[in-house]
Amino acid sequence: MSLVQMQLRPAHADAHADLVPRTVDDAMEAAGPQVCDDMTVEVALAVMAGSRADHLLICDEDGLCTGLITREQFRAIRDSAAYTDRLRLRDVLGDRGPFASPMTTMAEAEHAMRYRRLDALPVVAEQGSALGVLVLAR
């Protein structure tokens, strides 16, 4: 038998919880491995394998988050005819983003992720540094 610890909350706390929507800050995971956008795809793959992560956050030389790359995206890059072992992450990222703010509501973030078919979304501070990652449950 296992013990379950419960805490009683005042009745008004439940009513208040329904009025305040959950934000990305409540659900995001730690940022995890971050790599610089001037790194080659090969080296980034090695970092991903070594960290056993499903994604890497990519930052520029100033430490600002420029995007996120997943194992599936790496596979597509390596399978393309344009792939070489000198290909850099910044060459395959394209546009910056998308990103979420820690204050974005979970409903907004989930909608955006499903619309864009994203499994993970970087969460960035106002100045652009990575704070964490929001990952959709499967």
Side-chain angles (χ1 to χ4, degrees), residues 35-130:
V35 295
C36 193
D37 63 359
D38 69 346
M39 186 177 284
T40 65
V41 169
E42 283 298 312
V43 174
L45 276 166
V47 170
M48 181 178 274
S51 66
R52 297 185 178 163
D54 292 324
H55 57 266
L56 294 175
L57 287 171
I58 303 171
C59 300
D60 65 13
E61 64 276 354
D62 297 322
L64 302 179
C65 186
T66 58
L68 178 141
I69 192 161
T70 64
R71 286 187 188 277
E72 293 78 26
Q73 290 171 314
F74 272 129
R75 282 189 200 110
I77 292 164
R78 289 189 80 188
D79 292 344
S80 74
Y83 177 77
T84 72
D85 61 352
R86 294 182 184 183
L87 190 62
R88 301 209 178 273
L89 291 172
R90 71 170 60 119
D91 299 330
V92 296
L93 268 186
D95 295 335
R96 284 180 51 108
F99 305 102
S101 157
M103 300 313 297
T104 302
T105 67
M106 283 299 298
E108 293 170 328
E110 287 175 13
H111 174 76
M113 291 174 74
R114 291 187 196 289
Y115 178 77
R116 293 179 181 216
R117 297 184 177 142
L118 301 172
D119 293 329
L121 184 65
V123 180
V124 297
E126 194 172 309
Q127 73 277 14
S129 60

Side-chain angles (χ1 to χ4, degrees), residues 16-35:
H16 179 69
D18 292 338
L19 298 176
V20 179
R22 280 187 60 208
T23 63
V24 169
D25 191 42
D26 299 325
M28 71 179 179
E29 298 176 0
Q34 296 181 33
V35 295

